[in-house]
Amino acid sequence: MSDKLSLAEFESFLDETCDTLRGNRDAAEFKEYVIAILFLKRLNDRFNLEREVRRNKLIAKGLSPSQIEEDLERREVYRLFVPEIARWEKLKLKKEDLNSYLMKVFAETDEKNRGCLGALNDIDFNKTSANGENFITNSDLVELIKKFDKMKLTDEDLDF
């Protein structure tokens, strides 16, 4: 029996998450937010794995803790770099003004990775409806982050 997440389980999780959070809103209006948070979680999980492997190599080389920490913050040693503002451990503690915070997270992540985010960088977490309400509320974002926090999204954790 595999502990890895299957494609069917993942699809079910996404469907359930979207249905729970979007309420009576159209799925098309809501999916970009779910995809953005999914991408951010996957990026963080892969970055953390790379970072831990790198940390172990630097320890084996006998570098001091300060040298190790300095090296671990070098953008060029990662395939995709997660700036401190975008790190999952920091993001999941944020409970206020997540809409604006996520706009900064994606802008800085895109900047640090030479424009790799494409359309994800254009997602407007502050977008409002005709009646002036946010398409996605702060509490929706807190819940979405909580749901994704339960998942591990490294290659080793996925069965697809």
Side-chain angles (χ1 to χ4, degrees):
M1 179 145 176
S2 174
D3 288 335
K4 293 184 175 192
L5 185 66
S6 72
L7 182 58
E9 291 168 327
F10 183 64
E11 288 173 343
S12 176
F13 168 82
L14 288 177
D15 286 345
E16 192 176 298
T17 299
C18 287
D19 287 345
T20 300
L21 294 174
R22 72 182 170 91
N24 61 359
R25 294 172 282 193
D26 183 41
E29 294 173 346
F30 194 72
K31 70 180 177 183
E32 69 181 353
Y33 304 113
V34 174
I35 291 168
I37 301 301
L38 166 66
F39 173 82
L40 190 58
K41 177 64 163 102
R42 171 119 164 105
L43 180 63
N44 267 274
D45 285 356
R46 291 185 67 183
F47 174 77
N48 289 339
L49 184 62
E50 276 187 62
R51 190 174 167 91
E52 194 56 36
V53 167
R54 182 147 189 84
R55 179 185 306 279
N56 291 336
K57 287 179 182 177
L58 296 171
I59 290 169
K61 286 183 176 181
L63 272 64
S64 71
S66 63
Q67 289 172 312
I68 291 170
E69 288 309 311
E70 183 179 327
D71 187 88
L72 291 174
E73 290 302 318
R74 291 179 33 229
R75 186 310 172 216
E76 65 273 6
V77 299
Y78 300 97
R79 288 181 288 174
L80 291 170
F81 183 76
V82 178
E84 195 163 326
I85 190 174
R87 297 201 181 148
W88 194 260
E89 292 305 310
K90 185 172 186 168
L91 177 67
K92 73 180 188 178
L93 298 176
K94 186 100 170 121
K95 303 295 183 210
E96 301 295 325
D97 200 25
L98 270 165
N99 302 68
S100 295
Y101 187 78
L102 284 165
M103 299 289 290
K104 292 175 192 169
V105 161
F106 280 97
E108 192 166 327
T109 302
D110 192 55
E111 179 185 316
K112 295 288 185 191
N113 292 287
R114 301 181 260 319
C116 76
L117 296 185
L120 284 177
N121 196 33
D122 294 332
I123 295 173
D124 184 359
F125 287 90
N126 288 314
K127 184 178 174 182
T128 56
S129 62
N131 64 2
E133 294 179 9
N134 280 18
F135 273 92
I136 186 162
T137 66
N138 191 76
S139 60
D140 289 337
L141 289 169
V142 168
E143 283 304 309
L144 190 56
I145 290 166
K146 277 184 192 175
K147 287 183 181 290
F148 275 106
D149 189 47
K150 297 174 185 172
M151 301 189 87
K152 302 245 333 145
L153 297 173
T154 65
D155 294 346
E156 293 80 16
D157 296 305
L158 303 175
D159 197 29
F160 54 95

